[in-house]
Amino acid sequence: MMKVDRMESSHAGGHISKMAIFLAILAGTMALTNPSRQDYLEYASVKLSQEAKNNLCNEAEVPAILRGFSNMIVDTCNTLVTSQRVTIRAFIDNSTHRQNAMFFSIYTSEVLNNRYRTLALFGNFITFSAEKMPENSVE
């Protein structure tokens, strides 16, 4: 019976060792793949550009009197937004705070009366909160 207890104890120790190795590898991978601020700025500028195009550069936003020119107006709007990516990126950079937890980061950007919170981990971004800020808030 004593021999069985040693085997069970040894077996449990083996699981703990394997789990510790797995956790160390996972932590190292997370730390190495924690996206940088520059990575976030690229991600956020693409997302904000897409949002601007969807909200501003669509035929529904063209006044009725200009409907005959709507394709040209939408194309021009899309081109203008695309050409301003560097400006959009700088704007986001100035309005973003990063909380770096080494294994992941949380970015908070306050852009055009909206607050976006994004989780960055394993080289990816997940925007988990987008909320309208009160217009008179001072932060």
mmCIF file of all heavy atoms in Angstrom, residues 55-72:
data_model
loop_
_atom_site.group_PDB
_atom_site.id
_atom_site.type_symbol
_atom_site.label_atom_id
_atom_site.label_comp_id
_atom_site.label_asym_id
_atom_site.label_seq_id
_atom_site.Cartn_x
_atom_site.Cartn_y
_atom_site.Cartn_z
ATOM 1 N N ASN A 55 -20.692 55.936 -41.466
ATOM 2 C CA ASN A 55 -21.631 56.921 -40.937
ATOM 3 C C ASN A 55 -21.749 58.176 -41.791
ATOM 4 O O ASN A 55 -22.802 58.810 -41.809
ATOM 5 C CB ASN A 55 -21.240 57.313 -39.509
ATOM 6 C CG ASN A 55 -21.440 56.169 -38.545
ATOM 7 O OD1 ASN A 55 -22.316 55.339 -38.715
ATOM 8 N ND2 ASN A 55 -20.607 56.110 -37.531
ATOM 9 N N LEU A 56 -20.677 58.556 -42.453
ATOM 10 C CA LEU A 56 -20.682 59.817 -43.203
ATOM 11 C C LEU A 56 -20.737 59.640 -44.712
ATOM 12 O O LEU A 56 -21.308 60.468 -45.411
ATOM 13 C CB LEU A 56 -19.420 60.630 -42.855
ATOM 14 C CG LEU A 56 -19.220 60.982 -41.391
ATOM 15 C CD1 LEU A 56 -17.869 61.632 -41.190
ATOM 16 C CD2 LEU A 56 -20.340 61.885 -40.911
ATOM 17 N N CYS A 57 -20.094 58.607 -45.205
ATOM 18 C CA CYS A 57 -19.916 58.438 -46.646
ATOM 19 C C CYS A 57 -20.894 57.420 -47.214
ATOM 20 O O CYS A 57 -20.494 56.434 -47.827
ATOM 21 C CB CYS A 57 -18.486 58.006 -46.953
ATOM 22 S SG CYS A 57 -17.222 59.116 -46.331
ATOM 23 N N ASN A 58 -22.163 57.661 -47.015
ATOM 24 C CA ASN A 58 -23.145 56.756 -47.610
ATOM 25 C C ASN A 58 -24.227 57.584 -48.282
ATOM 26 O O ASN A 58 -24.439 58.749 -47.970
ATOM 27 C CB ASN A 58 -23.706 55.763 -46.588
ATOM 28 C CG ASN A 58 -24.428 56.420 -45.453
ATOM 29 O OD1 ASN A 58 -25.348 57.191 -45.674
ATOM 30 N ND2 ASN A 58 -24.028 56.111 -44.228
ATOM 31 N N GLU A 59 -24.895 56.964 -49.190
ATOM 32 C CA GLU A 59 -25.874 57.672 -50.018
ATOM 33 C C GLU A 59 -27.003 58.276 -49.192
ATOM 34 O O GLU A 59 -27.533 59.323 -49.536
ATOM 35 C CB GLU A 59 -26.439 56.711 -51.067
ATOM 36 C CG GLU A 59 -27.026 57.426 -52.245
ATOM 37 C CD GLU A 59 -27.288 56.493 -53.407
ATOM 38 O OE1 GLU A 59 -26.457 55.628 -53.682
ATOM 39 O OE2 GLU A 59 -28.346 56.660 -54.031
ATOM 40 N N ALA A 60 -27.339 57.654 -48.078
ATOM 41 C CA ALA A 60 -28.428 58.160 -47.238
ATOM 42 C C ALA A 60 -28.093 59.526 -46.636
ATOM 43 O O ALA A 60 -28.993 60.288 -46.298
ATOM 44 C CB ALA A 60 -28.744 57.166 -46.133
ATOM 45 N N GLU A 61 -26.800 59.832 -46.502
ATOM 46 C CA GLU A 61 -26.387 61.108 -45.916
ATOM 47 C C GLU A 61 -26.348 62.248 -46.938
ATOM 48 O O GLU A 61 -26.180 63.401 -46.578
ATOM 49 C CB GLU A 61 -25.006 60.963 -45.262
ATOM 50 C CG GLU A 61 -24.975 60.000 -44.083
ATOM 51 C CD GLU A 61 -25.848 60.440 -42.933
ATOM 52 O OE1 GLU A 61 -25.923 61.651 -42.653
ATOM 53 O OE2 GLU A 61 -26.489 59.568 -42.320
ATOM 54 N N VAL A 62 -26.488 61.926 -48.215
ATOM 55 C CA VAL A 62 -26.440 62.941 -49.265
ATOM 56 C C VAL A 62 -27.791 63.655 -49.314
ATOM 57 O O VAL A 62 -28.838 63.004 -49.391
ATOM 58 C CB VAL A 62 -26.115 62.302 -50.643
ATOM 59 C CG1 VAL A 62 -26.158 63.344 -51.744
ATOM 60 C CG2 VAL A 62 -24.764 61.612 -50.592
ATOM 61 N N PRO A 63 -27.783 64.995 -49.237
ATOM 62 C CA PRO A 63 -29.059 65.736 -49.308
ATOM 63 C C PRO A 63 -29.809 65.407 -50.603
ATOM 64 O O PRO A 63 -29.207 65.173 -51.656
ATOM 65 C CB PRO A 63 -28.626 67.206 -49.290
ATOM 66 C CG PRO A 63 -27.245 67.189 -48.704
ATOM 67 C CD PRO A 63 -26.644 65.873 -49.088
ATOM 68 N N ALA A 64 -31.130 65.416 -50.528
ATOM 69 C CA ALA A 64 -31.975 65.035 -51.665
ATOM 70 C C ALA A 64 -31.666 65.852 -52.912
ATOM 71 O O ALA A 64 -31.686 65.328 -54.023
ATOM 72 C CB ALA A 64 -33.445 65.170 -51.281
ATOM 73 N N ILE A 65 -31.348 67.106 -52.740
ATOM 74 C CA ILE A 65 -31.082 67.977 -53.887
ATOM 75 C C ILE A 65 -29.834 67.543 -54.675
ATOM 76 O O ILE A 65 -29.689 67.846 -55.850
ATOM 77 C CB ILE A 65 -30.971 69.454 -53.437
ATOM 78 C CG1 ILE A 65 -31.082 70.386 -54.642
ATOM 79 C CG2 ILE A 65 -29.693 69.696 -52.666
ATOM 80 C CD1 ILE A 65 -31.325 71.829 -54.268
ATOM 81 N N LEU A 66 -28.931 66.800 -54.013
ATOM 82 C CA LEU A 66 -27.684 66.363 -54.651
ATOM 83 C C LEU A 66 -27.697 64.886 -55.033
ATOM 84 O O LEU A 66 -26.652 64.328 -55.363
ATOM 85 C CB LEU A 66 -26.504 66.643 -53.711
ATOM 86 C CG LEU A 66 -26.279 68.101 -53.334
ATOM 87 C CD1 LEU A 66 -25.172 68.212 -52.301
ATOM 88 C CD2 LEU A 66 -25.961 68.940 -54.557
ATOM 89 N N ARG A 67 -28.854 64.234 -55.001
ATOM 90 C CA ARG A 67 -28.935 62.788 -55.271
ATOM 91 C C ARG A 67 -28.328 62.401 -56.620
ATOM 92 O O ARG A 67 -27.778 61.332 -56.763
ATOM 93 C CB ARG A 67 -30.376 62.287 -55.220
ATOM 94 C CG ARG A 67 -30.970 62.299 -53.850
ATOM 95 C CD ARG A 67 -30.480 61.153 -53.004
ATOM 96 N NE ARG A 67 -31.200 61.261 -51.734
ATOM 97 C CZ ARG A 67 -30.730 60.896 -50.587
ATOM 98 N NH1 ARG A 67 -29.555 60.349 -50.514
ATOM 99 N NH2 ARG A 67 -31.414 61.063 -49.495
ATOM 100 N N GLY A 68 -28.413 63.245 -57.609
ATOM 101 C CA GLY A 68 -27.834 62.937 -58.917
ATOM 102 C C GLY A 68 -26.321 62.806 -58.857
ATOM 103 O O GLY A 68 -25.704 62.169 -59.707
ATOM 104 N N PHE A 69 -25.706 63.408 -57.857
ATOM 105 C CA PHE A 69 -24.251 63.369 -57.695
ATOM 106 C C PHE A 69 -23.825 62.447 -56.555
ATOM 107 O O PHE A 69 -22.672 62.465 -56.134
ATOM 108 C CB PHE A 69 -23.715 64.775 -57.392
ATOM 109 C CG PHE A 69 -24.043 65.786 -58.444
ATOM 110 C CD1 PHE A 69 -25.081 66.690 -58.270
ATOM 111 C CD2 PHE A 69 -23.313 65.821 -59.627
ATOM 112 C CE1 PHE A 69 -25.380 67.625 -59.237
ATOM 113 C CE2 PHE A 69 -23.604 66.751 -60.600
ATOM 114 C CZ PHE A 69 -24.649 67.655 -60.420
ATOM 115 N N SER A 70 -24.747 61.642 -56.045
ATOM 116 C CA SER A 70 -24.480 60.881 -54.828
ATOM 117 C C SER A 70 -23.286 59.935 -54.956
ATOM 118 O O SER A 70 -22.487 59.837 -54.024
ATOM 119 C CB SER A 70 -25.716 60.108 -54.368
ATOM 120 O OG SER A 70 -26.098 59.160 -55.335
ATOM 121 N N ASN A 71 -23.134 59.242 -56.090
ATOM 122 C CA ASN A 71 -21.982 58.344 -56.246
ATOM 123 C C ASN A 71 -20.676 59.116 -56.160
ATOM 124 O O ASN A 71 -19.733 58.685 -55.495
ATOM 125 C CB ASN A 71 -22.049 57.573 -57.570
ATOM 126 C CG ASN A 71 -23.081 56.482 -57.541
ATOM 127 O OD1 ASN A 71 -23.499 56.042 -56.484
ATOM 128 N ND2 ASN A 71 -23.496 56.050 -58.717
ATOM 129 N N MET A 72 -20.619 60.256 -56.825
ATOM 130 C CA MET A 72 -19.412 61.071 -56.812
ATOM 131 C C MET A 72 -19.131 61.599 -55.395
ATOM 132 O O MET A 72 -17.998 61.591 -54.929
ATOM 133 C CB MET A 72 -19.533 62.242 -57.787
ATOM 134 C CG MET A 72 -18.270 63.086 -57.883
ATOM 135 S SD MET A 72 -18.432 64.449 -59.036
ATOM 136 C CE MET A 72 -19.584 65.506 -58.172
#
